[in-house]
Amino acid sequence: MTSLKPEGDLAPPFIKNVLHEHGRMLGADRKANEFFSRKLDKDDLIDAVKRVSIFSNKTTKQIQIQFSKNELTLSTQDKETKASAKEHIECEHVGEEIITQYNAQYLKEVLIHLKTEEIGIFLTSSQAAAVFKPTKTEDKTKQTALLMPLRSNS
C-alpha cells in the first residue's frame, strides 16, 4: 500500500507570496519576544480617545498614540482649525517607545467591542497592525481585534 501523504508544501507560489506579505505586514517575521505589549484599562482609553478625537481633523480623524515607559499619550492636531489635544494614561509597558497613528473612530469601535475591563495591545512597529486582546475574559470566548495604523505624513 502506498502513502497518499503529500511531500512538501502544496500551496501555489502566488499564494505563498501573498501569505508572506500579510505575515510581514502583521509582524510575523519578528521573534515573539520582540513584540511590544501594553496592559491598560479599556474604559479609560475609550474616554481619552473620545476627548482627544473632538479636536482631530474631521476628514482623517487621526490621533497619535505614543507608548512609552508606564504611560500612553494620545494627541491630535488639526492644522486647518489649529486645534490640538493631549491626554496621558498610565499603563504597563514592555519594550521600547513606539509612536503610531490611528483613525479615532475605528479605534473606538475596536475597544467598545472587546468584552473586558483590561486590554493588551501588541505591536511590532509603528507601521504594523496592532492586535488588541482582552487580558481576562469571564466566558470562554477568545476575542482578538486587528487595527491598521494610518501612514504618517511627517
Side-chain angles (χ1 to χ4, degrees):
M1 181 169 229
T2 61
S3 173
L4 296 175
K5 192 174 188 179
E7 296 294 322
D9 193 358
L10 296 178
F14 69 90
I15 296 290
K16 289 180 189 176
N17 289 339
V18 169
L19 292 174
H20 174 71
E21 287 301 311
H22 284 1
R24 191 172 57 85
M25 180 175 62
L26 297 174
D29 56 341
R30 297 187 69 154
K31 295 177 185 165
N33 63 356
E34 291 183 280
F35 280 73
F36 306 95
S37 62
R38 291 94 182 111
K39 284 201 286 188
L40 58 146
D41 184 87
K42 179 183 86 164
D43 293 331
D44 289 349
L45 183 55
I46 290 172
D47 293 342
V49 169
K50 286 179 181 178
R51 287 189 296 268
V52 168
S53 66
I54 291 170
F55 299 99
S56 67
N57 180 284
K58 300 304 175 209
T59 305
T60 64
K61 296 177 180 51
Q62 179 173 332
I63 61 170
Q64 177 174 290
I65 300 178
Q66 177 178 353
F67 297 97
S68 55
K69 186 173 181 169
N70 300 324
E71 184 176 69
L72 178 138
T73 304
L74 293 107
S75 61
T76 190
Q77 184 176 14
D78 184 1
K79 294 181 183 192
E80 294 173 7
T81 63
K82 298 190 183 345
S84 64
K86 186 179 273 193
E87 290 256 346
H88 301 274
I89 300 174
E90 289 184 22
C91 70
E92 290 183 29
H93 170 74
V94 176
E96 62 190 52
E97 182 176 295
I98 290 184
I99 299 172
T100 189
Q101 295 83 25
Y102 295 104
N103 177 301
Q105 184 62 37
Y106 296 158
L107 179 57
K108 282 189 287 188
E109 288 180 22
V110 163
L111 296 171
I112 287 169
H113 287 94
L114 292 174
K115 294 172 176 51
T116 186
E117 292 179 9
E118 189 178 74
I119 60 167
I121 303 173
F122 303 90
L123 297 160
T124 57
S125 74
S126 63
Q127 293 301 313
V131 176
F132 295 79
K133 292 183 176 185
T135 56
K136 299 178 222 168
T137 56
E138 294 178 15
D139 54 7
K140 294 191 182 216
T141 61
K142 291 183 179 182
Q143 287 186 302
T144 301
L146 183 97
L147 184 63
M148 290 298 298
L150 298 173
R151 293 200 181 262
S152 175
N153 291 336
S154 51

